[in-house]
Amino acid sequence: MSEPAPLSAPFLSVIVPFFNEAENAEKLVDEVTTVLGDYRGMWELLCVDDGSDDGTAERLERKAATAPERIRVLRLRRNFGQTAALQAGIDASRGELIATLDGDLQNDPADLPRMVDELLERDLDLLTGWRRNRQDGYLLRLLPSKIANALIRRVTGVRIRDYGCGTKVFRGEVLRRIRLFGEMHRFIPVWIAGVTAPARIGETPVNHRPRTGGRSKYGLSRAFRVLPDLLAVFFFLRYRARPGHFFGSIGIAFGLIGTAIMAWLLIAKLGFGQDIGDRPLLLFGVLALVFSIQFLTTGVLAELLARTYFDSPRAPSYLLAPGSETPERPGKRPSGTGAPSDTRDA
């Protein structure tokens, strides 16, 4: 027999990044406020306008004016990208739990209360959605997504079936320990796995709806960006604090190959009197030794940069537009304006 539901729930912050979603912005705000109307605890909706030029920000601000205690709008100075927009919302959030949605109305806000309850019942740090019945075109969206998800699972070892789903619920204290940059929003479960046990990351089926308004910002070209992003994720997870090991291992391998080649050629020259000046193997051996020196010195430089990185404050990956500065969480230094943040990278 299950235990009765608690009388109150943790403070929930819902973050939604928008970029040129004027047709969907107001509808999404209405859906979220309706769904959370019966939420047992305090909640807030953070709408992050990522430099839209179609009137999205103005529509969001009109909605925020009707419930300023619940709805907050952050306007970025230009289009920094979805990852930076999410980071801006995370920095401004005040909730013990943080939920995210995409701004295109394809994610269903009705899933949020159930996901919050499930995260608490299963004692998870992250519960991510799985779009089991995804409403997207197969060739341009579904097939590249399946390939990318399988590749990410293989390389990272984090067994999530749908990395691209925007519907997620986090424990705020865990999410705030990572910093998002570049286009790393699709790898959030991997970053979370760097600061918590993989067993505390769960997945649950969620509703997915067809796009009814606006234009998709995703295309086939994004599928090709997964490979360099995945390489970066692999490097940062395994060698972020010791980059010298990564470059040094490659340098040593080239050094051993080059040394073996040059030793063989030396024996051939001195022991057998063979002419080695016109052998391609000589050029390859010299190049291998040069590569070895380059990778070893790169490893030393990378170690110096890593030490500098860990010892210095980091600037955020976005800038807020004038008037978008919001009250900070207690004990947190200002962020988004060039000031150092108290969060730590994963």
Side-chain angles (χ1 to χ4, degrees), residues 14-18 25-26 28-30 32-33 44-50 56-57 59-61 63-64 70-76 85 88-89 320 324:
V14 180
I15 301 172
V16 186
F18 292 90
E26 293 175 300
L28 183 54
V29 171
D30 289 338
V32 172
T33 54
E44 65 178 354
L45 172 60
L46 288 160
C47 302
V48 185
D49 176 65
D50 187 23
T56 297
R59 297 190 182 198
L60 290 173
E61 288 177 341
K63 279 293 180 182
R70 295 283 196 188
I71 306 171
R72 301 159 61 196
V73 178
L74 300 176
R75 298 183 64 174
L76 305 190
L320 293 175
S324 288

Side-chain angles (χ1 to χ4, degrees), residues 106 131 133-146 208-211 216 218-220:
Q106 291 193 261
R131 297 167 293 181
N133 298 311
R134 188 171 172 182
Q135 304 298 309
D136 284 318
Y138 183 80
L139 186 61
L140 295 180
R141 298 290 298 276
L142 284 178
L143 181 59
S145 179
K146 288 182 178 180
H208 190 247
R209 306 180 291 193
R211 178 182 270 273
S216 175
Y218 296 87
L220 189 60

Side-chain angles (χ1 to χ4, degrees), residues 152 163-164 183-189 218 222 225-226 229:
I152 295 171
Y163 278 88
E183 292 192 7
M184 294 298 179
H185 57 276
R186 62 173 64 87
F187 295 105
I188 288 179
Y218 296 87
R222 289 213 172 189
R225 302 179 192 175
V226 171
D229 288 345

Side-chain angles (χ1 to χ4, degrees), residues 75-92:
R75 298 183 64 174
L76 305 190
R77 289 179 180 269
R78 63 169 178 83
N79 178 228
F80 286 92
Q82 184 175 353
T83 302
L86 282 172
Q87 187 63 62
I90 294 168
D91 288 343

Side-chain angles (χ1 to χ4, degrees), residues 246-262:
F246 176 79
F247 293 106
S249 298
I250 300 175
I252 291 173
F254 272 113
L256 292 175
I257 293 172
T259 300
I261 292 174
M262 299 305 288

